[in-house]
Structures are given as C-alpha cells and as structure tokens.
Amino acid sequence: MPQLRSVVLGVGAYLPAKTLTNDELAKRVDTSDEWIVQRTGIKERHIAAEGETTSMLGEKAARDALANAGVSANDIDLIVVATSTPDWTFPSTATQIQAALGITQGVAFDLQAVCSGFVFAVATAEKFLRSGSHKRALVIGAETFSRIIDWNDRTTCVLFGDGAGAMILEARPSAGRLDERGVLTTHLRSDGRHRAKLHVDGGPSATQTVGHLRMEGKEVFRFAVGQVTDVVKDAFAATGLTPEDLDWFVPHQANRRIIDMSAQKLGIAPEKIIATVHLHGNTSAASVPLALAVASADGRIKQGDLVMLEAVGGGFTWGSALIRW
Ligand code: ACO
C-alpha cells in the first residue's frame, strides 16, 4: 500500500461580533488595561451573543475553512471537534456541526484536551487519514469559555474569550520526504496529577452543574514554560529538523509572555512567532487555528513553509504537530 500523508488544504476562523476591551473589563473588576497588557499581551476578547453556541461558532469557522480549501461539505468524511465547552452534555458538538453543514456521510466526534485540544485533534485526524480509513477531515477548535468564566474573579476573567478555528486535511500519497507537504510528525503528552492547577469546578457526574474555571496562574505559567518544550524537541528529534529550519512557530495563544519565553527556550527566532493573543485572548482549543487562519490570510504562512504547532492545557495535556504547509 502506498504511504499516505495528511495535507492541509485550507484553514478558517470565526470570532463573535461582540468585543470586550480591557477598559470595559476594568469597569467590572479591579483591574486595568496596563496590568492585563503587561502580564498577558491581551487587548480585547470576543464574547458570543446570547444564544450563540460553540457549534454555531464552529460551523462558521468550518464554512470559512471549506471555502479557503475549495472543498465542498459533501467531500468531508471525518469531523473532529476539540472543545471543553460543548453545546450540550450530549450529543457531541461535532454531530451538531455535521448536521448544520448538511453532512450525512462519515463520522463526527468530539475530543477534549482543553487548550491542547486542536493539536490533539490534528494528531487524531492525521492518524485516521494516514491509515487510509478516511479521505478528508474537518478539524475544528471551538469554544465559548465566557460561559464557564467566573466574571467576578479578576485572576481568570481577563484571560479568556470565545471563538473558533478550523482546518481541512486530505490524505494524499507520499514518498515520505520531509520537503513534501503534509503533517510530518505529532507528539502528545498528558499528566493527570495536575488537575487542581487548572480545572472547572463542575460537571455532569460530579456536581450536575456546569461549573466555573479555576486556575493557579503562577503554577500554570511555570509548567507551560518549563515542561512543554519537550514535545517540540521530540518533533525535531523525530525528523532531524532544527529550529533554524522552521518558518513559523504557532503556539497556543494563552499569554504573550509564555509564547515569547517558550520560543526563546527552544532557540526559535522572535520573527518566526505567530501571535494573535492580543486580538482574542485565550480561546482554548480555538487559539491555534485562529492564529493559523490570520497568518494564512495575511500571506505569512505559504505553501511549502515548515510550521510548528504547540499547545498546553488543563489536565495537564500538551502536544506538538510539525507540518509542511
Ligand atoms: N488585574 C490586576 N491585578 C491582578 C489581576 C488583574 N486581572 N489578577 C491578579 N492580580 C493581582 C494579584 O491579586 C496579585 O496581587 P497581590 O500581589 O496584591 O497579591 C498580583 O496581581 C500578582 O498576581 P500574580 O498571580 O502573582 O500575577 P502573575 O504575574 O503570576 O500573573 C497571570 C498572573 C497573568 C495569570 C500569570 O500567572 C499567567 O499568565 N499564568 C498562566 C495562566 C494562563 O495563561 N492560563 C491560561 C490557561 S492555561 C493554558 O492555556 C495553558
């Protein structure tokens, strides 16, 4: 059987219309634009309208990605949605998006790895496509974190926002060379001992409530900068490529300081960093595809470029995906 590789055909994004600036937040809690920008780089975030759900954001990002890829919804036979804020406990957000797009073939399911969700979803879809079982995947990261934020907690409410991003992947024959387009390697990790540092204090089985996000910010910061670089090093080791070979580093958009310190630790030049966190805050699983969509639309990421995705999230979970665009 010929070797297969998952090639990126297009990306897309959607941000809700309503924005919430730092100054507006400072009217609700004891904070300031200066504090938020200095500690996180975030200037504003987008907030879903009343009744606007995660699947609605995901559907819009999916339509944008389909148009960008020049692919019809009927050509998709695998949908993987990364989210921690599903519309309902069940059915999955993926099946809601599948129905909204009018897709009746193939399979659709959700995946939950919090802020690492999109990288986990790319790694999962890529394995399906590479096995030959499916042909074309729609991979989505979509979140409405505004619904699980404690808006009276200034240590968390300034950080997060709503949004969605999507990617279309297609299985194509490959000779296995590093200069050929497609996902070259993925590396995922998790360590459940860290639950208390970043979690939601509700859930259907434990409390029968949705709950609110709780975080030990300093501990998360330390882990994100200290530990997470190992999966990026694993991607370099698996391929023999180096930070110098990279065209773009697209990390989880949680905090500008984490992004810059991670790149510095890895020896990745600052001009190779794609950062959009100032535009939308931390949108969890949506953050990496939102950044990809911006950098693809503005012409920075081009076909043939070497792009490193990296993310870390609650669990903890963390992962990397190295892609020849
Ligand atoms: N506005 C003003 N002051 C604040 C705010 C706020 N929004 N939040 C906290 N403070 C105060 C604190 O109360 C504290 O005051 P004190 O010294 O009087 O006690 C002071 O600011 C310093 O607080 P620290 O928590 O020490 O601030 P720190 O420099 O660690 O920055 C931050 C906090 C931005 C949350 C940082 O720890 C961080 O970025 N952590 C990573 C968290 C993250 O990105 N999580 C995203 C989810 S996880 C993920 O995506 C990987």
Side-chain angles (χ1 to χ4, degrees):
M1 205 167 93
Q3 198 176 333
L4 293 169
R5 190 175 279 178
S6 303
V7 173
V8 178
L9 298 188
V11 286
Y14 178 74
L15 287 167
K18 181 178 163 19
T19 56
L20 180 62
T21 65
N22 292 344
D23 285 334
E24 286 169 314
L25 261 177
K27 290 178 193 151
R28 294 192 195 182
V29 290
D30 184 12
T31 190
S32 66
D33 177 56
E34 190 192 2
W35 192 95
I36 300 170
V37 170
Q38 194 213 347
R39 303 285 174 126
T40 72
I42 298 165
K43 293 197 165 62
E44 63 178 19
R45 66 289 293 142
H46 291 246
I47 306 293
E50 203 181 326
E52 192 176 30
T53 64
T54 295
S55 71
M56 293 178 194
L57 307 189
E59 179 201 344
K60 289 195 168 107
R63 288 190 188 281
D64 192 35
L66 288 166
N68 182 248
V71 164
S72 147
N74 289 327
D75 296 327
I76 299 295
D77 58 1
L78 171 66
I79 302 174
V80 186
V81 175
T83 188
S84 301
T85 45
D87 292 17
W88 308 103
T89 301
F90 77 78
S92 69
T93 302
T95 54
Q96 302 309 288
I97 295 173
Q98 181 191 30
L101 292 172
I103 301 175
T104 51
Q105 74 279 1
V107 61
F109 59 88
D110 285 3
L111 180 155
Q112 215 268 48
V114 201
C115 302
S116 314
F118 186 76
V119 173
F120 275 54
V122 167
T124 303
E126 185 272 328
K127 290 180 204 307
F128 271 75
L129 296 187
R130 199 150 40 83
S131 78
S133 67
H134 293 74
K135 178 80 184 134
R136 237 169 261 107
L138 167 59
V139 184
I140 300 172
E143 304 280 13
T144 46
F145 261 50
S146 64
R147 307 266 156 77
I148 56 165
I149 291 299
D150 176 351
W151 287 101
N152 296 314
D153 176 7
R154 70 173 180 172
T155 67
T156 54
C157 76
V158 302
L159 302 174
F160 295 91
D162 301 336
M167 174 186 276
I168 311 290
L169 289 171
E170 180 177 82
R172 289 197 181 162
S174 160
R177 293 199 320 268
L178 293 172
D179 62 350
E180 282 177 290
R181 295 181 65 200
V183 179
L184 303 182
T185 189
T186 60
H187 299 267
L188 307 181
R189 300 263 333 256
S190 55
D191 185 344
R193 290 175 299 174
H194 300 283
R195 176 188 174 275
K197 292 171 189 153
L198 180 56
H199 67 286
V200 170
D201 61 7
S205 183
T207 63
Q208 299 82 58
T209 62
V210 172
H212 290 111
L213 183 149
R214 306 295 175 201
M215 182 176 70
E216 296 170 21
K218 263 197 198 319
E219 291 298 317
V220 175
F221 194 102
R222 199 170 292 138
F223 185 86
V225 175
Q227 175 74 47
V228 171
T229 44
D230 64 357
V231 285
V232 176
K233 289 181 185 156
D234 288 346
F236 287 133
T239 55
L241 294 166
T242 68
E244 286 74 40
D245 295 316
L246 275 191
D247 292 293
W248 301 109
F249 178 53
V250 190
H252 170 45
Q253 306 290 313
N255 178 315
R256 185 70 213 220
R257 284 194 301 152
I258 295 176
I259 292 172
D260 291 343
M261 286 167 79
S262 303
Q264 190 183 24
K265 204 172 154 205
L266 285 159
I268 297 171
E271 61 272 18
K272 295 183 177 179
I273 299 170
I274 306 282
T276 55
V277 64
H278 58 290
L279 301 171
H280 50 64
N282 183 349
T283 56
S284 193
S287 91
V288 168
L290 276 168
L292 287 172
V294 167
S296 166
D298 68 19
R300 271 179 291 174
I301 300 182
K302 295 180 292 299
Q303 200 167 304
D305 281 356
L306 189 64
V307 182
M308 177 74 79
L309 314 186
E310 174 264 309
V312 52
F316 289 136
T317 57
W318 64 109
S320 68
L322 185 58
I323 303 175
R324 178 73 65 188
W325 204 257

